[in-house]
Amino acid sequence: MKFLRWTALVAVVILFCTCGRETGIFSDRAYRRQVLQDLEQRREMLARCDALRILDEASLTEREREALQFLYAYMPLGDAVNFDGDYFLRNVRLSEEARERMPWGAIIPVDYYRHFVLPVRVNNEDLDEARGVFYAELSERVQGLSMQEAILEINHWCHEKAVYTPTDSRTSAPLAMICTAAGRCGEESTLLVAALRAVGIPARQVYTPRWAHTDDNHAWVEAWADGEWYFLGACEPEPVLDLGWFNAPASRGMLLHTNVFGRYEGPEQVMRRTPLFTEINITENYAPTASVAVSVIEADGTPAADARVEYKIYNYSELYSIASQQADAQGRTSVIAGRGDALVWASKEGRYGFAKVSFGKDEAVIVTLDKTPGATFASEFCLVPPPESGELPPVTEEQRAENTRRMIYEDSLRNAYTATFRTTAQGEAFARKLGLDAARTAALLVESKGNYAAIEAFLEAAVGAGKGDRALALLEQVSRKDLHDTPREVFDDHLYQAEGDPARIMNPRVGLELLSAYRAYLQEQIPAADAARFREDPQQLVAWCRDSLRMESMHNMRLVPIRPIGVWESRIVDQTSRDLFFIAVCRSLEIPAWRDEVTGKIRYSHAGTDYDVDFEAPEPAPTDYGTLKLTHTPSVAVPDPYYYKHFTLSRIEEGRMRLLHFGEGNTWNGQFREGVRLEAGDYALVSGTRLSGGEVLTELRIFTIAKEAETTVDLVLPAEQRSGEVYGTFDTELEYQTLDGQTRALHASMGDGCCVVGILGAGEEPTNHALNDIAAFREALETTGTPIVLLFASEENARRFVADDFPAIPSTLQFGIDATGELRTRLVAGAGLTRDELPIVAVTDGFGRILFRSSGYSIGLGERLVKELAAQ
């Protein structure tokens, strides 16, 4: 973080030396002119619905007006339309109150206040009234603390409220996450940033789109204090700043970035600018980096001006783009990234080409657009992630003990709250009282977490209206997260204003949007003659959307769509908002409509026939389909390859790869062995084998699916060449403590053959991932019969373990406690590990030789263990 802190200090110096400096929200007159120019463009776009009328309020102070001008100039159109001006004014006034009341308000540079305190939005979360709630609770709690102390204290508060759990990629609002008491890292970091900004501390979400060394991504937080940026893991309090379980993974990152609201002129490398935000590259704050100059040329050697250049790494069996740039007139571009491998993929007007590049080794690379539609070929390569590096800040034993004590107490506060959620027995009793199906009702109420009162009220009213069964059917159609944060009024609208099929008419869920009530409104607002035309021929609605809606994709975010009511009032859309609006109107008019889960295409059903929607075509055209059949030779370690784990399919459109979403749990044998129907065209099959060091042996196979033809492609998982390396030895006579307090020697639990032994950090995200990965391979691990002995790092740590969170662990696994810490020390030394990062997992043979080792954060541990044990 040294470079980051130095650049922050430089920025402060530059700020106070700027000519023509403003004293309000804007740092200089030129910046003010740019904001007002951008704002005028917004006024023209939103004139129909008068979304910017708050700016003309006579009661606004000059600072309030400037703050609102800045926000409206750059907020997604979805926010401007979905929320009224009073919402943003309340948040501006809260920001100003925090700036005036908090002791650090006077020292925060104006541009940091403008970009990292004032904005309500952090990323793509649902917006709420969190700033007022958080300010009321936290402003007194941090009084008398330094900025660094306040940052740490607020993170402890966040840990009281929520912990990590996997969820879908819709980002709940901060208050909804607190209601649920859990969320994924993107939601945890959004919560912490919102809390820090509520008391006037500049904060931003840091994001790695995907890790290079393992299948996952991560988000955390940077907070500004006294001229420096520091990082911390959200809802994962540590005794000091710049410390988290992800220190080591971050040092292996290929790209770490953040999206800064509005036009930002900071010292970091700008990856791209959009009308909404500035994407900045902050990889060099966490990892050694290097830059590579990319030149894109046509097949004849001439520069490919304005080509699209994507930097891809292997993650979840996809060649995922971690960054995307547009080449200049000479076909050139460059990026700073971690010192690992990437695939540079360039495209222009349907032509494409790619080349592997090693950052830190290659200074330049040429990519030739030598592939055209219809090309077929296969290519193999090994992608190597950056090596681990970096140092941890010092922490004293006293600091660690006090932090652990606080975390245990915070767990108890949160657990006391979650104990008020509905249990299965309570849900069944409620169902019996209403005459509903007990099992279905109880499952919904248990899953609703802190939102159970809204769900109960909805069901009770529905039963009174004679719609109890349809109400259950409606709740079963939406996502688990919808049960956590959807108000009763939204469910009411979709229940009482729909009569048709629960899945494709009554269902309010389409993609990843926040659910909203729109049926009654649309049914009233759409003229009767238009409604009749749309029912008679839904293609008339397609034409209406094409002719009546103004496309403004660059001014909105895909995951912050304009809600259907807002689309009707503003006539403004981006592609996602248009798709959602079309389906909302169809379903409001009892026309079955949906989004295809695999291709993402919008479809509707009319007169017994399903149609694809093409908003650009004057008439619906039939789609050409073919069949893809994958052949594969199973192995002991991978008898049935999984989609997203071992392979993926992408459709090549305009020279770019667009992933097909077959969903988790789909396998070669279950889905692809007998063949799947896919739209005719060019496709990419990506498969890979990840090695213990994070390297990936990858195969890319390009092929064409012809109309009404069967295409057979071999699914190959590149074979790992095993070295048979022994990393060290481990004393199996060492003793551990069983959960019931007895002392036992390891060899008594391990037997004479191979054994899996490890040290866990209960309640920590890397350990949760490891246990979930092991549970995913329960059957295969049980088949091996190999004992698994996993020990908690201490008795205190063992008390943090919640067994109910991991119901599917193998029967061959037993837990214990490394009460003295000796086992952990000896395992680290015996395995030759350079870092002591939990969880630590090793495979040993009957002689105590360590044949496999893993330390810290890693995805896919269960499969890796199966492979190692099968090879012994």
Side-chain angles (χ1 to χ4, degrees), residues 13 73 221 268 355 392 461 467 529 536 698 727 746 794 806 812 850:
V13 173
V221 172
E268 303 89 350
L392 300 179
K467 293 180 175 287
E536 180 66 24
T698 308
Y727 296 100
L746 267 176
S794 65
F806 308 97
T812 51
I850 297 177

Side-chain angles (χ1 to χ4, degrees), residues 161-214:
K161 305 300 182 183
V163 291
Y164 175 82
T165 191
T167 67
D168 66 40
S169 55
R170 175 169 73 83
T171 305
S172 289
L175 290 176
M177 187 186 176
I178 289 177
C179 180
T180 307
R184 57 180 171 79
C185 61
E187 292 166 318
E188 289 179 308
S189 52
T190 296
L191 170 64
L192 177 56
V193 171
L196 290 166
R197 290 180 180 178
V199 295
I201 295 176
R204 61 195 188 189
Q205 182 187 64
V206 179
Y207 191 63
T208 178
R210 298 285 176 93
W211 295 117
H213 69 287
T214 192

Side-chain angles (χ1 to χ4, degrees), residues 610-687:
D610 295 344
Y611 295 90
D612 290 336
V613 172
D614 184 349
F615 289 104
E616 307 307 320
E619 296 293 336
T623 301
D624 294 333
Y625 283 87
T627 299
L628 171 66
K629 182 178 291 186
L630 296 182
T631 59
H632 175 70
T633 303
S635 66
V636 174
V638 187
D640 190 10
Y642 275 80
Y643 200 80
Y644 293 130
K645 186 182 292 289
H646 302 107
F647 71 100
T648 58
L649 281 168
S650 295
R651 180 176 167 83
I652 299 180
E653 298 177 349
E654 295 299 317
R656 303 181 67 184
M657 289 195 286
R658 183 174 63 81
L659 182 69
L660 300 184
H661 299 280
F662 279 94
E664 294 184 16
N666 279 294
T667 67
W668 161 71
N669 190 51
Q671 184 85 33
F672 301 92
R673 184 175 186 175
E674 299 302 321
V676 292
R677 293 279 289 173
L678 292 174
E679 189 175 349
D682 294 342
Y683 288 83
L685 172 64
V686 177
S687 58

Side-chain angles (χ1 to χ4, degrees), residues 345-347 350-354 368-372 375 377 652 655 702:
W345 184 285
S347 59
R351 304 179 302 279
Y352 63 96
F354 58 89
T368 304
L369 302 182
D370 56 358
K371 307 295 190 300
T372 56
F377 60 91
I652 299 180
I702 305 295

Side-chain angles (χ1 to χ4, degrees), residues 8 168 197 214 222 231 254 304 345 362 368 375 453 476 493 522 566 591 606 631 714 805 872:
D168 66 40
R197 290 180 180 178
T214 192
E222 285 183 354
F231 72 82
M254 283 295 291
W345 184 285
D362 301 328
T368 304
E476 289 169 338
D493 178 71
L522 292 177
I591 303 168
H606 179 64
T631 59
D714 193 18
D805 291 343
Q872 302 307 318

